[in-house]
Amino acid sequence: MTDSRQPDSTRRSERSRRAIYEAALALVGEIGYAKTTIEGIAARAGVGKQTIYRWWPSKAAVLLEAFLDLAEQAAQGETEIPDTGDLAADLRLVLRATVDEMNSPAYDAPARALAAESVVSPELAGQFVHKLLEPQLQLYVKRLRAAQETGEVRTGIDLRIALELFTGPLAHRWLLRTLPLTHEYADEIVDYALNGLAPRP
Amino acid sequence: MTDSRQPDSTRRSERSRRAIYEAALALVGEIGYAKTTIEGIAARAGVGKQTIYRWWPSKAAVLLEAFLDLAEQAAQGETEIPDTGDLAADLRLVLRATVDEMNSPAYDAPARALAAESVVSPELAGQFVHKLLEPQLQLYVKRLRAAQETGEVRTGIDLRIALELFTGPLAHRWLLRTLPLTHEYADEIVDYALNGLAPRP
Amino acid sequence: MTDSRQPDSTRRSERSRRAIYEAALALVGEIGYAKTTIEGIAARAGVGKQTIYRWWPSKAAVLLEAFLDLAEQAAQGETEIPDTGDLAADLRLVLRATVDEMNSPAYDAPARALAAESVVSPELAGQFVHKLLEPQLQLYVKRLRAAQETGEVRTGIDLRIALELFTGPLAHRWLLRTLPLTHEYADEIVDYALNGLAPRP
Amino acid sequence: MTDSRQPDSTRRSERSRRAIYEAALALVGEIGYAKTTIEGIAARAGVGKQTIYRWWPSKAAVLLEAFLDLAEQAAQGETEIPDTGDLAADLRLVLRATVDEMNSPAYDAPARALAAESVVSPELAGQFVHKLLEPQLQLYVKRLRAAQETGEVRTGIDLRIALELFTGPLAHRWLLRTLPLTHEYADEIVDYALNGLAPRP
DNA sequence: TAGTAACCGAGACGGTACGTCCCGTCTTCTG
DNA sequence: CAGAAGACGGGACGTACCGTCTCGGTTACTA
């Protein structure tokens, strides 16, 4: 009945885990994801390679956890889209913040790396979406539902689809760098998209 | 005047080039981009490794050219978004076709690989966007401009931004596999987005 | 004090070392030194290339050690030139044995390869001479010194030079294959050379 | 009746041949034989690779011809061992000259390279011995025969063997760099060896 | 309080692929 | 048609990492 080859996580070294997170994020920031190696992370963290292989299945998994850990620390409190009663204003605020985040190097490098890996690896994508992306998208659903109740958004709209009118364009510009990501762009997107969701006259 | 160490392209072997394209696309389709190696492409194409290194700077560059070549052959004629006078219908048609393409394995594998690499490599992204993506997006600009003239789209709209309301959401779902890409989804996107671009009452 | 990037030799795999010796000697015997490659040795030994590069600086160094190992096993006991009281007879015996050795394929191939490399590489020559050749030559010095004491060789002779009258000609014929190496030739050399070392009448 | 794949040597470019000789000797002197490549010789000589492959079968063959050409120019006239009536003096002179030659870099590099290749390649060795070495050794035979007639060397001696008492030791020291090659050493060798060839009292 | 089981840093190991260098052949164009 | 130039298929180089595997050493729970 017993068995399984999993190690005993109660004896896990917290110190090593944190060192690995830091080394992984630092290396991805400094030399990029492709040139970051497990050996490099281990060396930088002052850790044996086996300690990484024991707890993570891949380089991408290490980075995902490191990034989640980072995001968790960063997101202390601000886990809601504000509701001032003015939907357009609220969305502009959030989308502008997103634009700023995407333009900040500390966030950009690891997030891009994870996104790129996710594009190509369904397993990682699943984790990435489930643990990071979807929870954030659900915040939009929640805010849009509130707006639906106040009549700012017409009934019959599929909110899970509607939110993609806001996030999709931003993500697209960010991922493929087609054109610059600016506050003005964010505002414009909010303007056009919101118009599409408004009640028909 | 300049110089540069480029080889003499007039003496290039056409046979080798085509064999490399085919090998690259086949391998990416069969075993995935990550497991596709330059040695593997060379072996499959019956070509020396140096012949690849002589003409391309990286695995991604090979695949990009191979994919462009493929796209060029595929896109014989259909280089326009139809204009039946009914913008919504025309866009639904195009977006449904795009959905089908994204769901077809032959297109999916190399396109994903290139997109993933582009996310992480600005150089490749530049090529990818300039040679493949932007020309396609300009077709939307053209069609939307026609619609603007017939009054289906209100004046003052930035069409280069507007088109992203259609393509952004699709791209997002495709890249990160958040939710299934269906014709219904495409229709919904057209519905919501077009509403946002319509003349104000 | 120093440092150096040498690996930890206490953890070295004895099994791999022996396999590499055997593979190297076998390949040199079968296909010749020039066609023997490090990749080939590694493959034949069932070993990673890095395991060779970790412990040896070059193909020649591998072969030298393999050959030394072989010579060590072969030379169990016979580490002296016999002293029957008859110098000429003793030298004939030794030189005939040397001739036989040089004519035996198992010895010939690796020994030639090492000699050839030594001709061209002072570093290897140093090792080759110090570890293999000079110890053997000192046996001649010892035997000749005994002969000097019995009056068979005249005083005032530099024995380190004298021995070269015996070994030099043999080596020359062997290395450049000018003429066949026979027992009769060895006897003749002993005859002429010993005459030159005998006390003046 | 015609045939054979040999090119027409009457149309051969003398200019190219000389440039190849010079490039080969220069490269062997500067970077060593092992690092000298046919491509490198061609580039340095300003010659196409095919021009080398057309006329020579191997790198070693090029160098051999280049060296023979060099030796031919150097040996204008002095094609004899002097005969002053004093055999010992004559041999000391020749052996000292040989020592000097072996110690001169211009001679040393290509000669070592050819010797090393010859050790390992019977074909080249044949050429090397037949065209370069044996003619020189025959000069010793001639001089020793003269000495035999004057009674300085005893009858019954095989002169082709006898000469190796002089040249063998020198060659040995030179090839394997066991000990320094000096005039004193040459004198000693002449002394010991000649004693061995002298008529028995 | 000793024994022992596991994680840990370290790094050697059998491998795969890298990107480079040359090999010897072949092809194209020039004198 | 020899020769300069150099692209080609091929193979080995020496390096970098992969993921697995021992090897002491150091904890931290059991007997």
Side-chain angles (χ1 to χ4, degrees), chain C residues 119-143:
Chain C
V119 165
V120 130
S121 153
E123 296 74 31
L124 185 71
Q127 299 259 310
F128 184 64
V129 167
H130 178 253
K131 294 190 179 159
L132 196 69
L133 193 55
E134 196 61 37
Q136 289 184 15
L137 297 183
Q138 286 303 324
L139 303 181
Y140 284 87
V141 171
K142 189 176 175 193
R143 181 65 189 83

mmCIF file of all heavy atoms in Angstrom, chain C residues 119-143:
data_model
loop_
_atom_site.group_PDB
_atom_site.id
_atom_site.type_symbol
_atom_site.label_atom_id
_atom_site.label_comp_id
_atom_site.label_asym_id
_atom_site.label_seq_id
_atom_site.Cartn_x
_atom_site.Cartn_y
_atom_site.Cartn_z
ATOM 1 N N VAL C 119 57.941 12.365 -31.747
ATOM 2 C CA VAL C 119 58.848 13.065 -32.653
ATOM 3 C C VAL C 119 58.380 14.501 -32.833
ATOM 4 O O VAL C 119 59.174 15.420 -32.980
ATOM 5 C CB VAL C 119 58.890 12.347 -34.015
ATOM 6 C CG1 VAL C 119 59.516 13.231 -35.081
ATOM 7 C CG2 VAL C 119 59.671 11.042 -33.892
ATOM 8 N N VAL C 120 57.117 14.687 -32.767
ATOM 9 C CA VAL C 120 56.505 15.949 -33.143
ATOM 10 C C VAL C 120 56.015 16.745 -31.936
ATOM 11 O O VAL C 120 55.810 17.953 -32.015
ATOM 12 C CB VAL C 120 55.358 15.609 -34.136
ATOM 13 C CG1 VAL C 120 54.067 16.259 -33.769
ATOM 14 C CG2 VAL C 120 55.802 15.950 -35.557
ATOM 15 N N SER C 121 55.868 16.071 -30.818
ATOM 16 C CA SER C 121 55.385 16.756 -29.627
ATOM 17 C C SER C 121 56.353 16.584 -28.453
ATOM 18 O O SER C 121 56.434 15.520 -27.855
ATOM 19 C CB SER C 121 54.020 16.180 -29.241
ATOM 20 O OG SER C 121 53.798 16.320 -27.860
ATOM 21 N N PRO C 122 57.079 17.644 -28.112
ATOM 22 C CA PRO C 122 58.060 17.556 -27.031
ATOM 23 C C PRO C 122 57.441 17.127 -25.706
ATOM 24 O O PRO C 122 58.071 16.389 -24.941
ATOM 25 C CB PRO C 122 58.599 18.983 -26.937
ATOM 26 C CG PRO C 122 58.352 19.592 -28.271
ATOM 27 C CD PRO C 122 57.088 18.953 -28.768
ATOM 28 N N GLU C 123 56.207 17.558 -25.450
ATOM 29 C CA GLU C 123 55.576 17.195 -24.188
ATOM 30 C C GLU C 123 55.415 15.685 -24.089
ATOM 31 O O GLU C 123 55.799 15.061 -23.104
ATOM 32 C CB GLU C 123 54.187 17.840 -24.059
ATOM 33 C CG GLU C 123 54.206 19.344 -24.003
ATOM 34 C CD GLU C 123 54.504 19.967 -25.354
ATOM 35 O OE1 GLU C 123 54.123 19.360 -26.384
ATOM 36 O OE2 GLU C 123 55.146 21.032 -25.412
ATOM 37 N N LEU C 124 54.814 15.114 -25.119
ATOM 38 C CA LEU C 124 54.628 13.680 -25.094
ATOM 39 C C LEU C 124 55.977 12.972 -25.074
ATOM 40 O O LEU C 124 56.156 11.984 -24.358
ATOM 41 C CB LEU C 124 53.828 13.218 -26.310
ATOM 42 C CG LEU C 124 53.499 11.732 -26.255
ATOM 43 C CD1 LEU C 124 52.455 11.463 -25.192
ATOM 44 C CD2 LEU C 124 53.026 11.214 -27.599
ATOM 45 N N ALA C 125 56.930 13.489 -25.855
ATOM 46 C CA ALA C 125 58.256 12.871 -25.892
ATOM 47 C C ALA C 125 58.832 12.803 -24.487
ATOM 48 O O ALA C 125 59.408 11.780 -24.086
ATOM 49 C CB ALA C 125 59.167 13.667 -26.809
ATOM 50 N N GLY C 126 58.664 13.881 -23.733
ATOM 51 C CA GLY C 126 59.175 13.904 -22.358
ATOM 52 C C GLY C 126 58.606 12.755 -21.545
ATOM 53 O O GLY C 126 59.346 12.000 -20.909
ATOM 54 N N GLN C 127 57.306 12.605 -21.600
ATOM 55 C CA GLN C 127 56.650 11.528 -20.883
ATOM 56 C C GLN C 127 57.117 10.163 -21.369
ATOM 57 O O GLN C 127 57.450 9.286 -20.587
ATOM 58 C CB GLN C 127 55.128 11.617 -21.125
ATOM 59 C CG GLN C 127 54.516 12.899 -20.641
ATOM 60 C CD GLN C 127 53.831 12.683 -19.323
ATOM 61 O OE1 GLN C 127 53.046 11.762 -19.190
ATOM 62 N NE2 GLN C 127 54.140 13.508 -18.345
ATOM 63 N N PHE C 128 57.134 10.039 -22.678
ATOM 64 C CA PHE C 128 57.484 8.766 -23.303
ATOM 65 C C PHE C 128 58.892 8.330 -22.883
ATOM 66 O O PHE C 128 59.107 7.189 -22.475
ATOM 67 C CB PHE C 128 57.401 8.936 -24.826
ATOM 68 C CG PHE C 128 57.645 7.691 -25.610
ATOM 69 C CD1 PHE C 128 56.784 6.612 -25.518
ATOM 70 C CD2 PHE C 128 58.733 7.602 -26.474
ATOM 71 C CE1 PHE C 128 57.001 5.460 -26.269
ATOM 72 C CE2 PHE C 128 58.953 6.457 -27.213
ATOM 73 C CZ PHE C 128 58.089 5.386 -27.114
ATOM 74 N N VAL C 129 59.796 9.267 -22.959
ATOM 75 C CA VAL C 129 61.187 8.965 -22.623
ATOM 76 C C VAL C 129 61.329 8.691 -21.137
ATOM 77 O O VAL C 129 61.945 7.711 -20.720
ATOM 78 C CB VAL C 129 62.103 10.143 -23.039
ATOM 79 C CG1 VAL C 129 63.484 9.992 -22.421
ATOM 80 C CG2 VAL C 129 62.183 10.220 -24.557
ATOM 81 N N HIS C 130 60.736 9.575 -20.334
ATOM 82 C CA HIS C 130 60.924 9.481 -18.895
ATOM 83 C C HIS C 130 60.292 8.220 -18.305
ATOM 84 O O HIS C 130 60.869 7.562 -17.436
ATOM 85 C CB HIS C 130 60.341 10.729 -18.226
ATOM 86 C CG HIS C 130 60.449 10.719 -16.743
ATOM 87 N ND1 HIS C 130 59.375 10.521 -15.923
ATOM 88 C CD2 HIS C 130 61.526 10.859 -15.925
ATOM 89 C CE1 HIS C 130 59.782 10.556 -14.666
ATOM 90 N NE2 HIS C 130 61.079 10.764 -14.634
ATOM 91 N N LYS C 131 59.105 7.899 -18.778
ATOM 92 C CA LYS C 131 58.376 6.795 -18.162
ATOM 93 C C LYS C 131 58.676 5.435 -18.786
ATOM 94 O O LYS C 131 58.484 4.414 -18.153
ATOM 95 C CB LYS C 131 56.870 7.058 -18.248
ATOM 96 C CG LYS C 131 56.444 8.240 -17.418
ATOM 97 C CD LYS C 131 54.929 8.320 -17.331
ATOM 98 C CE LYS C 131 54.502 9.513 -16.478
ATOM 99 N NZ LYS C 131 53.109 9.922 -16.755
ATOM 100 N N LEU C 132 59.075 5.446 -20.049
ATOM 101 C CA LEU C 132 59.204 4.161 -20.724
ATOM 102 C C LEU C 132 60.628 3.890 -21.188
ATOM 103 O O LEU C 132 61.207 2.849 -20.878
ATOM 104 C CB LEU C 132 58.256 4.140 -21.925
ATOM 105 C CG LEU C 132 57.986 2.763 -22.509
ATOM 106 C CD1 LEU C 132 57.165 1.940 -21.537
ATOM 107 C CD2 LEU C 132 57.275 2.884 -23.841
ATOM 108 N N LEU C 133 61.160 4.839 -21.931
ATOM 109 C CA LEU C 133 62.416 4.564 -22.613
ATOM 110 C C LEU C 133 63.613 4.600 -21.671
ATOM 111 O O LEU C 133 64.413 3.649 -21.624
ATOM 112 C CB LEU C 133 62.582 5.589 -23.739
ATOM 113 C CG LEU C 133 63.665 5.299 -24.762
ATOM 114 C CD1 LEU C 133 63.463 3.927 -25.368
ATOM 115 C CD2 LEU C 133 63.654 6.369 -25.836
ATOM 116 N N GLU C 134 63.744 5.686 -20.939
ATOM 117 C CA GLU C 134 64.936 5.863 -20.119
ATOM 118 C C GLU C 134 65.120 4.737 -19.086
ATOM 119 O O GLU C 134 66.242 4.236 -18.934
ATOM 120 C CB GLU C 134 64.899 7.229 -19.425
ATOM 121 C CG GLU C 134 66.237 7.683 -18.850
ATOM 122 C CD GLU C 134 67.326 7.832 -19.914
ATOM 123 O OE1 GLU C 134 66.990 8.279 -21.036
ATOM 124 O OE2 GLU C 134 68.494 7.488 -19.633
ATOM 125 N N PRO C 135 64.086 4.318 -18.406
ATOM 126 C CA PRO C 135 64.260 3.201 -17.463
ATOM 127 C C PRO C 135 64.854 1.971 -18.144
ATOM 128 O O PRO C 135 65.692 1.294 -17.565
ATOM 129 C CB PRO C 135 62.830 2.936 -16.983
ATOM 130 C CG PRO C 135 62.141 4.240 -17.128
ATOM 131 C CD PRO C 135 62.733 4.876 -18.349
ATOM 132 N N GLN C 136 64.427 1.720 -19.384
ATOM 133 C CA GLN C 136 64.973 0.572 -20.099
ATOM 134 C C GLN C 136 66.433 0.796 -20.463
ATOM 135 O O GLN C 136 67.260 -0.125 -20.378
ATOM 136 C CB GLN C 136 64.155 0.299 -21.359
ATOM 137 C CG GLN C 136 62.774 -0.262 -21.030
ATOM 138 C CD GLN C 136 61.991 -0.617 -22.277
ATOM 139 O OE1 GLN C 136 62.542 -0.705 -23.369
ATOM 140 N NE2 GLN C 136 60.697 -0.840 -22.109
ATOM 141 N N LEU C 137 66.752 2.024 -20.849
ATOM 142 C CA LEU C 137 68.136 2.316 -21.227
ATOM 143 C C LEU C 137 69.066 2.207 -20.022
ATOM 144 O O LEU C 137 70.224 1.798 -20.151
ATOM 145 C CB LEU C 137 68.231 3.709 -21.854
ATOM 146 C CG LEU C 137 67.445 3.900 -23.158
ATOM 147 C CD1 LEU C 137 67.680 5.297 -23.729
ATOM 148 C CD2 LEU C 137 67.815 2.844 -24.189
ATOM 149 N N GLN C 138 68.536 2.567 -18.855
ATOM 150 C CA GLN C 138 69.376 2.492 -17.657
ATOM 151 C C GLN C 138 69.776 1.051 -17.344
ATOM 152 O O GLN C 138 70.806 0.814 -16.692
ATOM 153 C CB GLN C 138 68.647 3.122 -16.457
ATOM 154 C CG GLN C 138 68.591 4.649 -16.505
ATOM 155 C CD GLN C 138 69.983 5.285 -16.597
ATOM 156 O OE1 GLN C 138 70.952 4.800 -16.018
ATOM 157 N NE2 GLN C 138 70.090 6.373 -17.358
ATOM 158 N N LEU C 139 68.988 0.093 -17.833
ATOM 159 C CA LEU C 139 69.381 -1.300 -17.637
ATOM 160 C C LEU C 139 70.690 -1.594 -18.371
ATOM 161 O O LEU C 139 71.533 -2.357 -17.887
ATOM 162 C CB LEU C 139 68.271 -2.237 -18.135
ATOM 163 C CG LEU C 139 66.890 -2.036 -17.504
ATOM 164 C CD1 LEU C 139 65.899 -3.047 -18.067
ATOM 165 C CD2 LEU C 139 66.979 -2.154 -15.990
ATOM 166 N N TYR C 140 70.846 -0.970 -19.532
ATOM 167 C CA TYR C 140 72.095 -1.128 -20.283
ATOM 168 C C TYR C 140 73.252 -0.512 -19.508
ATOM 169 O O TYR C 140 74.342 -1.084 -19.417
ATOM 170 C CB TYR C 140 72.000 -0.443 -21.652
ATOM 171 C CG TYR C 140 71.177 -1.203 -22.663
ATOM 172 C CD1 TYR C 140 69.814 -1.040 -22.743
ATOM 173 C CD2 TYR C 140 71.792 -2.084 -23.568
ATOM 174 C CE1 TYR C 140 69.057 -1.727 -23.680
ATOM 175 C CE2 TYR C 140 71.040 -2.768 -24.513
ATOM 176 C CZ TYR C 140 69.675 -2.591 -24.556
ATOM 177 O OH TYR C 140 68.953 -3.271 -25.484
ATOM 178 N N VAL C 141 72.993 0.686 -18.953
ATOM 179 C CA VAL C 141 74.057 1.350 -18.191
ATOM 180 C C VAL C 141 74.530 0.431 -17.075
ATOM 181 O O VAL C 141 75.732 0.243 -16.861
ATOM 182 C CB VAL C 141 73.557 2.683 -17.603
ATOM 183 C CG1 VAL C 141 74.600 3.266 -16.637
ATOM 184 C CG2 VAL C 141 73.251 3.675 -18.715
ATOM 185 N N LYS C 142 73.571 -0.181 -16.400
ATOM 186 C CA LYS C 142 73.906 -1.030 -15.262
ATOM 187 C C LYS C 142 74.755 -2.236 -15.698
ATOM 188 O O LYS C 142 75.792 -2.544 -15.097
ATOM 189 C CB LYS C 142 72.612 -1.528 -14.613
ATOM 190 C CG LYS C 142 72.836 -2.236 -13.292
ATOM 191 C CD LYS C 142 71.512 -2.618 -12.651
ATOM 192 C CE LYS C 142 71.771 -3.444 -11.385
ATOM 193 N NZ LYS C 142 70.529 -4.093 -10.917
ATOM 194 N N ARG C 143 74.316 -2.864 -16.781
ATOM 195 C CA ARG C 143 75.039 -4.054 -17.261
ATOM 196 C C ARG C 143 76.430 -3.685 -17.762
ATOM 197 O O ARG C 143 77.402 -4.422 -17.542
ATOM 198 C CB ARG C 143 74.224 -4.719 -18.371
ATOM 199 C CG ARG C 143 74.836 -5.988 -18.952
ATOM 200 C CD ARG C 143 74.904 -7.085 -17.903
ATOM 201 N NE ARG C 143 75.661 -8.267 -18.335
ATOM 202 C CZ ARG C 143 76.996 -8.374 -18.275
ATOM 203 N NH1 ARG C 143 77.716 -7.352 -17.809
ATOM 204 N NH2 ARG C 143 77.594 -9.495 -18.672
#
